[in-house]
Amino acid sequence: MRISAQEVEHVAMLSRLELSDQEKRKYAETLSAILEYMEVLNRVDTDGVEPTAHVLPLKNVFREDRLEKCLEKALVLANAPEEEDGCFKVPRLV
Amino acid sequence: MSLTNLTAHELGDLLNRREISSVELTEAYLRRIEEVDGQVRAFLTVTADLALKQAAEADGKRARGEKLPPLAGIPMAMKDNMCTRGIKTTCASRILHNFIPPYDATVTERLLEAGAVLLGKCNMDEFAMGSSTENSGYFATRNPHDLRAVPGGSSGGSAAAVAAGEAVFALGSDTGGSIRLPAAFCGVIGLKPTYGRVSRYGLVAYASSLDQIGPLARDMRDCALVMNVIAGHDRRDSTSAPLEVPDYTKFLVDDVRGLKVGLPREYLGDGLDEEVRGWVKRAAETLEKLGAVCEEVSLPHTRYALPAYYIIAPAEASSNLARYDGVQYGLRVEADDIVSMYSKTRSQGFGEEVKRRIMLGTYALSSGYYDAYYLKAMKVRTLVKRDFDLAFEKCDCLLTPTSPTPAFDTGEKTADPLTMYLSDVCTIPVNLAGIPALSIPFGTVRGRPVGVQLIGKAFDEGTIIRAGYALEQGTDLTRPRPALERTVEEWASSTKP
């Protein structure tokens, strides 16, 4: 499966990445080589095989819905690039 | 005798006999870091003041006659993707260049409670994506055995620190071989525990269904001692297994009589360095001489593990790394609107390989491709796991090379990502199956260490620790010491990078 520079641009947009034209061409090349290598998987007969998303036989893990000790607000905000009135601040949305 | 050559249990004995203090020991390691880390470049952050404070605390407790656990006062290092409260944790990424975690990872908490002394945080491939530690957003780490060679990755800084005498032991993380490959390349022991055995709370996520934390150490006893501290259920990690943890030192018995060791033929085929093959064969013979029974087995889906991994891991990564958006922590590149802010922050903050994997994963999960790539890969994962299940009906553990070749040269594989991915061909199947495996040094090729891999059943780290210990006791090949013993001057003149 080859992937074009245009498709790379689309995937980059979905990934919230900006790429230069040169980067797009380069990624198209390396991603195509990787995707072509993956075609070997088509040779495996997986009819009737259940997918494995996770190896442990664990189901949902529940706990009591009770307030527990958590981080102080100041600590939560300590790494924020910008904050105001105890909230994370972001550029205008609308 | 140099303190920077010894194991944790040897140093523990010296501490207990009051022949040295933890402060002296820590000073010796800090000095060693100062001497050699300019060349090895294993550390991103050195926490000298904190280390000396922790060492003084351990000494104080010992002086008061408190009975201390085995790792108390022992200087160690951690990969920089494990959260350390108040200490920068960057994942070797520019996007986390200023991130100071407000909490400790569970492994950090447990090691500090056990009295271990934190020397600093180790270099790695950015977000643990890589096999050579050349993908670090800061600088590449070098192999202490040969400065022209890579240390392996992604826990290259942790492995190099242990090999170069800059830490007694270290923690790494392993998603597709990131503990075992650097352990093999740097001539130390590296154990990837069963998925769920060690809490991932506070480990910066790469691929959550595969990531696991484990020790890098100088001998099997140290490996077992570190496991005793870090293994066990943690309610803060919902994938942590609610199982009893054995005392791993109980498996340090020099007896493998009757142990059934499988040699998977798919790991010993084409593409394997002839001298590495020779060392694996010799490891099998050593185990046989000690009473184990080796037999050939087959894991027919082995060749499909690597392509399946490079769909599953990037798919999980593309989701996990969506959180780096310049809002709550890390780098922010200002822009007029929020979407541009996200895109600019991520484009400047992530390195080339991280972007490649994010896009690969996004592509594999995107509408129209999900079934062909992601679903197919998860089905192949089932088949890879089933191969191991069948092999373990006949065998107690498996023996393979850790890597088809010894450490390659810096720059040798950076131009072609696919070639770099193939470095992990022997380690990746283990992560897909979620089972434990360790790499133990066994001989050298052209002066570079070789590792052999022992693979065990789920939650049976004990058997591979026992087999590793037997190899260690049965030969003198498991501790390639030159890198630890060479003086700085000899070193600089013998291996100019």
Side-chain angles (χ1 to χ4, degrees), chain B residues 105-170:
Chain B
T106 298
V107 288
T108 312
E109 213 174 77
R110 289 192 178 195
L111 279 175
L112 297 183
E113 259 166 38
V117 170
L118 180 66
L119 292 165
K121 307 292 295 285
C122 290
N123 198 17
M124 54 187 281
D125 287 295
E126 184 181 0
F127 284 104
M129 297 181 189
S131 311
S132 67
T133 315
E134 290 165 291
N135 288 343
S136 166
Y138 298 92
F139 45 80
T141 296
R142 294 173 182 151
N143 191 318
H145 286 266
D146 183 340
L147 296 176
R148 292 163 302 190
V150 301
S154 64
S155 310
S158 299
V162 176
E166 297 177 81
V168 183
F169 68 88

Side-chain angles (χ1 to χ4, degrees), chain B residues 41-353:
Chain B
R41 303 179 183 181
F43 283 89
L44 284 167
T45 304
V46 176
T47 49
D49 295 344
L50 176 79
L52 289 169
K53 197 174 137 236
Q54 289 170 338
E57 274 168 32
D59 284 340
K61 284 183 187 168
R62 219 178 286 270
R64 289 193 296 274
E66 282 183 42
K67 173 119 181 64
L68 296 180
L71 298 180
I74 304 291
M76 55 88 189
M78 293 175 74
K79 188 177 182 178
D80 207 27
N81 60 350
M82 296 166 206
C83 285
T84 40
R85 190 174 56 199
I87 300 164
K88 207 161 63 164
T89 299
T90 68
C91 267
S93 181
R94 294 279 168 189
I95 212 160
L96 287 175
H97 72 105
N98 56 357
F99 177 60
I100 298 175
Y103 65 95
D104 277 329
T106 298
V107 288
T108 312
E109 213 174 77
R110 289 192 178 195
L111 279 175
L112 297 183
E113 259 166 38
V117 170
L118 180 66
L119 292 165
K121 307 292 295 285
C122 290
N123 198 17
M124 54 187 281
D125 287 295
E126 184 181 0
F127 284 104
M129 297 181 189
S131 311
S132 67
T133 315
E134 290 165 291
N135 288 343
S136 166
Y138 298 92
F139 45 80
T141 296
R142 294 173 182 151
N143 191 318
H145 286 266
D146 183 340
L147 296 176
R148 292 163 302 190
V150 301
S154 64
S155 310
S158 299
V162 176
E166 297 177 81
V168 183
F169 68 88
L171 290 189
S173 68
D174 189 315
T175 306
S178 283
I179 289 173
R180 292 160 287 157
L181 188 75
F185 283 6
C186 291
V188 299
I189 286 163
L191 170 67
K192 183 204 89 76
T194 310
Y195 183 83
R197 187 50 114 181
V198 176
S199 170
R200 294 183 297 111
Y201 178 77
L203 171 70
V204 178
Y206 160 22
S208 307
S209 81
L210 303 162
D211 298 340
Q212 188 62 195
I213 295 171
L216 291 128
R218 291 185 184 153
D219 75 354
M220 287 307 307
R221 183 170 297 276
D222 280 8
C223 180
L225 288 172
V226 179
M227 279 299 288
N228 277 355
V229 174
I230 62 173
H233 181 248
D234 175 17
R235 52 194 296 277
R236 295 176 296 186
D237 170 5
S238 62
T239 62
S240 152
L243 295 173
E244 280 295 305
V245 178
D247 173 359
Y248 290 106
T249 61
K250 292 268 191 311
F251 298 99
L252 303 170
V253 287
D254 189 8
D255 180 6
V256 287
R257 278 172 298 172
L259 189 77
K260 291 199 201 90
V261 182
L263 302 169
R265 75 170 75 95
E266 290 79 6
Y267 286 72
L268 300 162
D270 294 342
L272 181 62
D273 180 288
E274 278 311 313
E275 288 185 65
V276 173
R277 186 195 311 277
W279 285 119
V280 177
K281 228 177 117 198
R282 179 132 172 229
E285 287 162 8
T286 304
L287 287 171
E288 277 194 319
K289 239 180 268 164
L290 297 168
V293 185
C294 294
E295 61 170 316
E296 194 179 279
V297 294
S298 175
L299 302 166
H301 295 92
T302 299
R303 62 176 301 204
Y304 303 113
L306 192 102
Y309 172 88
Y310 275 102
I311 293 170
I312 292 168
E316 294 185 19
S318 71
S319 166
N320 274 327
L321 273 63
R323 75 190 64 178
Y324 302 102
D325 57 5
V327 174
Q328 295 174 21
Y329 41 73
L331 180 76
R332 174 190 287 194
V333 179
E334 296 297 342
D336 293 339
D337 65 283
I338 192 157
V339 176
S340 312
M341 190 276 278
Y342 293 156
S343 300
K344 286 192 194 310
T345 297
R346 292 165 62 79
S347 301
Q348 292 184 32
F350 291 138
E352 182 187 333
E353 181 60 26

Side-chain angles (χ1 to χ4, degrees), chain B residues 27 30 113 185 188 219 295 338 380 382 424 432 444 480 482:
Chain B
E27 281 171 347
L30 290 169
E113 259 166 38
F185 283 6
V188 299
D219 75 354
E295 61 170 316
I338 192 157
V380 171
T382 305
D424 292 322
L432 290 180
T444 57

Side-chain angles (χ1 to χ4, degrees), chain A residues 2-87:
Chain A
R2 291 206 64 83
I3 175 167
S4 66
Q6 229 173 350
E7 283 172 289
V8 168
E9 190 179 330
H10 178 68
V11 176
M13 186 275 291
L14 293 175
S15 311
R16 296 288 181 263
L17 292 170
E18 280 178 3
L19 303 178
S20 68
D21 286 343
Q22 199 200 340
E23 283 177 310
K24 280 176 212 159
R25 280 194 300 274
K26 205 173 159 204
Y27 278 120
E29 229 171 83
T30 54
L31 287 171
S32 293
I34 294 163
L35 291 170
E36 271 168 19
Y37 171 70
M38 284 163 179
E39 276 169 24
V40 68
L41 292 178
N42 296 329
R43 289 190 221 156
V44 192
D45 180 6
T46 52
D47 281 353
V49 176
E50 284 295 314
T52 298
H54 218 274
V55 288
L56 290 180
L58 286 173
K59 297 284 176 225
N60 289 328
V61 179
F62 295 109
R63 66 165 177 82
E64 286 298 307
D65 187 12
R66 222 179 28 232
L67 186 66
E68 293 186 6
K69 204 176 148 242
C70 48
L71 283 179
E72 283 165 44
K73 201 171 188 177
L75 279 177
V76 173
L77 289 165
N79 279 287
E82 206 179 350
E83 58 140 330
E84 197 175 295
D85 302 332
C87 296

